[in-house]
Amino acid sequence: MVALKAGTRPPWVGLGAAVWVEIASGNAYTFPLYSHSLKSVLGFNQHQLTMIGVANDIGENVGLLPGVVCDRFPPWFVLIVGSVFCFFGYGFSFSLSALWLALCVAANSNAWFSTAVIVTNMRNFPLSRGTVAGILKGYVGLSAAVFTEIYSVLLHSSSSNLLLFLAIGIPVLCFIMMYFVRPCAPASGDDSEEHRHFLFIQASSIVLGLYLLTTTIMADTYSLSPLISYAFVFIMILLLMAPLAIPVKMTLNPMRTRKSGTLDQSIGSSDSLVQVEGNSDKTEPLLTPSSSAKNLGSFHESEDVSDVAMLLAEGEGAVKKKRRPKRGEDFKFSEAVIKADFWLLFLVYFVGVGSGVTVLNNLAQIGIAQGVRETKILVSLFSFCNFVGRLGGGVVSEHFVRSRTLPRTVWMTFTQIIMIITYLMFASAMDGTLYIATALLGICFGVQFSVMLPTVSELFGLRHFGLLSNFMALGNPIGAFLFSGLLAGYIYDNEAAKQHGLNRIGSSLTCLGPNCFRLTFLVLAAVCGVGTILSIVLTKRIKPVYQTLYSGVPSGCHKAQVIEVNGVEHLSIW
């Protein structure tokens, strides 16, 4: 049995460290910062460049192996593997094929980093999954702006310096943080102090996002002295450290709270024991027995009689126990993939992130095509709004799922409707719409991430959450390959060839004007129309599940189940 770190502070220390790892896991979002240099220096055409971007997305989102490993090994091991991938991926690249493979490996470090911290922290805070997912994914959304600040000030806008920083700086950061990202005995979830802690982290992340957007615009508009620029970076680092103020405050001003690991003593089973680090000579019940325990998970009351008969038959050895889980229980991967809801969620997510990442990968070229020569503001704007969507998606969906039992996928429906309008704005290329469309798309893009994660855990449980959520993430690279690699790049190069009077697609041709991406945006709008219909169908299908899980349940009370992961028993609550 693996020991869990005891106490009320370790989960918050781990969450503060996870913020830094999540910033590092956003290194794939730096592609727009050096993509134009790749195109000009290596002589790539837009199709080749978008295929390099696809490699970036494939590496970032193919997390099946990290998902499996995270369920069997501690977080520090997962972070080490990610650091190795980051170092060798960004450190070695030569020809086009080697660059494709290297960038795929480098970006795959993101999957290892993100899986390690998200799975660990969602288990450390089982009562606040949506909030934790929104916070962590929100910081990933801010990572592009953070890297843009570092790229502009510390690295002097040098693409080669940026790649060197990604190859060395990120692994060093993760080696430092891996000690703090560790499984902890879950603390009480109905403590008002915990709610204030989450609010503080959310507020500090919003301040950081606004700060990054403001400083990026100032740096692009005014000629700032090196001293002021370095001061901006220093303040940014302080804001990134803000979540660590919570464990510091808990150290300086300790409060008498219930012992970590007890959670709600009126819920659960006495069979669940957790061995707490520093107290290995004895074990304490994670949960104590109660009369309500027998009712947990029994929202299929119509099947009570048959279940009792089955249990009696199993007890007599007449029937071998084999019952497929119901929605809301823990699914194995093989059990989840045969469910219609699983594939509906996958397709809805695929449409949302696949179309959004197409714009992100081509954001520099979209800006140049519409007359914007300096695209750093576009990248920072998309990054900030992506953060707003990720953080807001987690907070808003968590509120409405508790107050009105509203399925989280409702917000995927709303945002994909807005994405249709946004793509039409991009296609129109009207004056003043580029920045508005980029901002709206960033918000809608971010919501997809923070809604998908808790939805997977609520429908299919936490036991195999790492593998299931990373399979969902495959929608990102598949969408990038189809919409960016095959569609956007081909259309762009054809239009560029027409503008330069060529009969064939040439190398490193620049396309100007709205026609460079107009057809691409119209196709993306149509795809989001299909995604909207699918999300409506999914929402109607899973609404009874959410009504059962959350209807009449006051804040802080949830359905509970004990699961075992890596020899350690955890409390699965939703």
Side-chain angles (χ1 to χ4, degrees):
M1 181 178 290
V2 179
L4 301 183
K5 185 69 176 176
T8 57
R9 283 172 295 177
W12 296 102
V13 174
L15 185 60
V19 164
W20 285 79
V21 178
E22 285 289 66
I23 290 292
S25 74
N27 62 74
Y29 291 122
T30 62
F31 183 72
L33 294 177
Y34 60 85
S35 62
H36 193 63
S37 296
L38 289 178
K39 185 175 182 180
S40 59
V41 173
L42 300 179
F44 292 160
N45 59 37
Q46 187 64 20
H47 178 69
Q48 291 173 319
L49 187 65
T50 53
M51 291 307 296
I52 293 295
V54 169
N56 188 63
D57 295 315
I58 290 176
E60 179 188 9
N61 293 282
V62 177
L64 297 182
L65 183 57
V68 173
V69 171
C70 193
D71 285 338
R72 289 167 171 77
F73 293 92
W76 62 263
F77 179 81
V78 182
L79 292 176
I80 286 178
V81 175
S83 299
V84 172
F85 279 24
C86 189
F87 174 76
F88 285 102
Y90 284 118
F92 299 91
S93 57
F94 305 98
S95 63
L96 174 61
S97 58
L99 179 62
W100 194 96
L101 180 61
L103 193 57
C104 187
V105 171
N108 191 239
S109 65
N110 298 354
W112 293 84
F113 296 151
S114 189
T115 299
V117 298
I118 287 179
V119 173
T120 301
N121 280 276
M122 287 185 72
R123 289 172 177 168
N124 287 348
F125 296 96
L127 300 180
S128 307
R129 295 183 205 177
T131 302
V132 170
I135 288 172
L136 293 179
K137 281 300 182 180
Y139 275 99
V140 177
L142 282 178
S143 60
V146 172
F147 282 117
T148 300
E149 194 90 9
I150 294 172
Y151 171 77
S152 301
V153 178
L154 300 182
L155 305 178
H156 308 292
S157 299
S158 168
S159 297
S160 57
N161 288 343
L162 174 62
L163 292 173
L164 182 63
F165 172 80
L166 296 176
I168 298 176
I170 290 178
V172 170
L173 173 65
C174 290
F175 274 112
I176 294 173
M177 294 299 167
M178 70 174 61
Y179 173 78
F180 303 104
V181 180
R182 56 196 304 182
C184 305
S188 171
D190 58 354
D191 189 357
S192 60
E193 190 70 14
E194 179 176 288
H195 178 65
R196 286 193 289 270
H197 290 165
F198 280 127
L199 285 178
F200 172 77
I201 296 178
Q202 291 164 347
S204 62
S205 64
I206 292 173
V207 171
L208 174 62
L210 291 172
Y211 174 80
L212 289 171
L213 182 63
T214 302
T215 54
T216 301
I217 295 174
M218 288 179 62
D220 190 70
T221 306
Y222 305 103
S223 179
L224 302 177
S225 67
L227 181 61
I228 294 178
S229 298
Y230 283 115
F232 283 167
V233 174
F234 178 74
I235 295 173
M236 178 188 74
I237 293 174
L238 291 180
L239 290 173
L240 282 171
M241 296 177 65
L244 293 174
I246 293 174
V248 171
K249 175 245 184 185
M250 296 173 74
T251 301
L252 299 177
N253 186 27
M255 296 180 61
R256 297 183 63 184
T257 59
R258 285 186 295 174
K259 187 165 184 175
S260 176
T262 59
L263 286 164
D264 189 342
Q265 296 192 5
S266 65
I267 303 176
S269 167
S270 60
D271 295 333
S272 305
L273 300 177
V274 173
Q275 184 170 336
V276 179
E277 189 176 284
N279 193 21
S280 58
D281 58 330
K282 61 181 180 179
T283 57
E284 290 188 4
L286 177 64
L287 301 169
T288 56
S290 80
S291 59
S292 65
K294 64 183 74 175
N295 296 322
L296 290 176
S298 61
F299 59 89
H300 311 284
E301 276 134 13
S302 61
E303 301 175 359
D304 282 351
V305 177
S306 61
D307 284 346
V308 171
M310 181 64 70
L311 288 172
L312 291 174
E314 290 167 1
E316 295 172 358
V319 178
K320 183 178 179 181
K321 182 178 180 181
K322 188 175 182 180
R323 182 182 73 83
R324 289 182 179 177
K326 306 295 191 297
R327 291 180 301 182
E329 299 178 351
D330 284 316
F331 280 71
K332 295 180 181 178
F333 180 76
S334 59
E335 295 169 334
V337 294
I338 62 175
K339 293 294 184 181
D341 294 337
F342 181 88
W343 291 106
L344 280 171
L345 180 59
F346 176 83
L347 290 173
V348 172
Y349 181 73
F350 155 76
V351 168
V353 299
S355 61
V357 78
T358 299
V359 176
L360 177 60
N361 285 349
N362 295 277
L363 194 56
Q365 287 70 39
I366 292 170
I368 292 173
Q370 296 196 24
V372 177
R373 294 301 173 185
E374 184 53 71
T375 59
K376 286 188 294 185
I377 292 182
L378 277 178
V379 174
S380 293
L381 179 62
F382 185 94
S383 176
F384 172 73
C385 293
N386 183 17
F387 151 74
V388 171
R390 292 177 186 229
L391 181 66
V395 173
V396 173
S397 68
E398 191 79 13
H399 170 75
F400 281 96
V401 81
R402 296 182 187 280
S403 62
R404 301 188 181 181
T405 66
L406 198 64
R408 297 183 195 270
T409 50
V410 165
W411 306 105
M412 299 179 87
T413 304
F414 287 161
T415 53
Q416 291 196 16
I417 292 173
I418 297 174
M419 290 173 83
I420 296 174
I421 300 172
T422 301
Y423 291 135
L424 294 177
M425 291 174 64
F426 273 116
S428 70
M430 293 179 1
D431 291 340
T433 60
L434 178 60
Y435 291 99
I436 297 174
T438 300
L440 288 175
L441 182 63
I443 294 173
C444 297
F445 183 68
V447 169
Q448 313 301 310
F449 292 90
S450 58
V451 168
M452 181 273 287
L453 288 172
T455 301
V456 170
S457 73
E458 286 162 340
L459 293 180
F460 306 109
L462 273 175
R463 169 169 279 179
H464 301 286
F465 171 73
L467 179 58
L468 293 170
S469 62
N470 277 308
F471 184 89
M472 290 288 173
L474 290 176
N476 193 315
I478 294 174
F481 174 73
L482 295 176
F483 303 138
S484 182
L486 298 184
L487 178 66
Y490 181 78
I491 293 174
Y492 180 96
D493 285 333
N494 270 338
E495 184 62 29
K498 290 179 183 178
Q499 292 182 4
H500 289 80
L502 301 176
N503 294 324
R504 62 182 180 84
I505 297 175
S507 297
S508 192
L509 296 178
T510 299
C511 180
L512 299 176
N515 289 333
C516 300
F517 290 97
R518 175 168 287 159
L519 181 58
T520 299
F521 288 130
L522 293 177
V523 172
L524 295 181
V527 168
C528 280
V530 176
T532 300
I533 296 173
L534 293 176
S535 63
I536 292 173
V537 173
L538 175 62
T539 300
K540 289 181 69 68
R541 284 178 57 90
I542 64 177
K543 187 172 179 59
V545 181
Y546 278 84
Q547 288 176 334
T548 303
L549 296 179
Y550 290 99
S551 181
V553 179
S555 178
C557 297
H558 311 263
K559 182 172 177 251
Q561 179 183 6
V562 175
I563 63 174
E564 182 178 337
V565 179
N566 195 27
V568 182
E569 290 169 336
H570 299 272
L571 183 66
S572 176
I573 301 177
W574 58 91

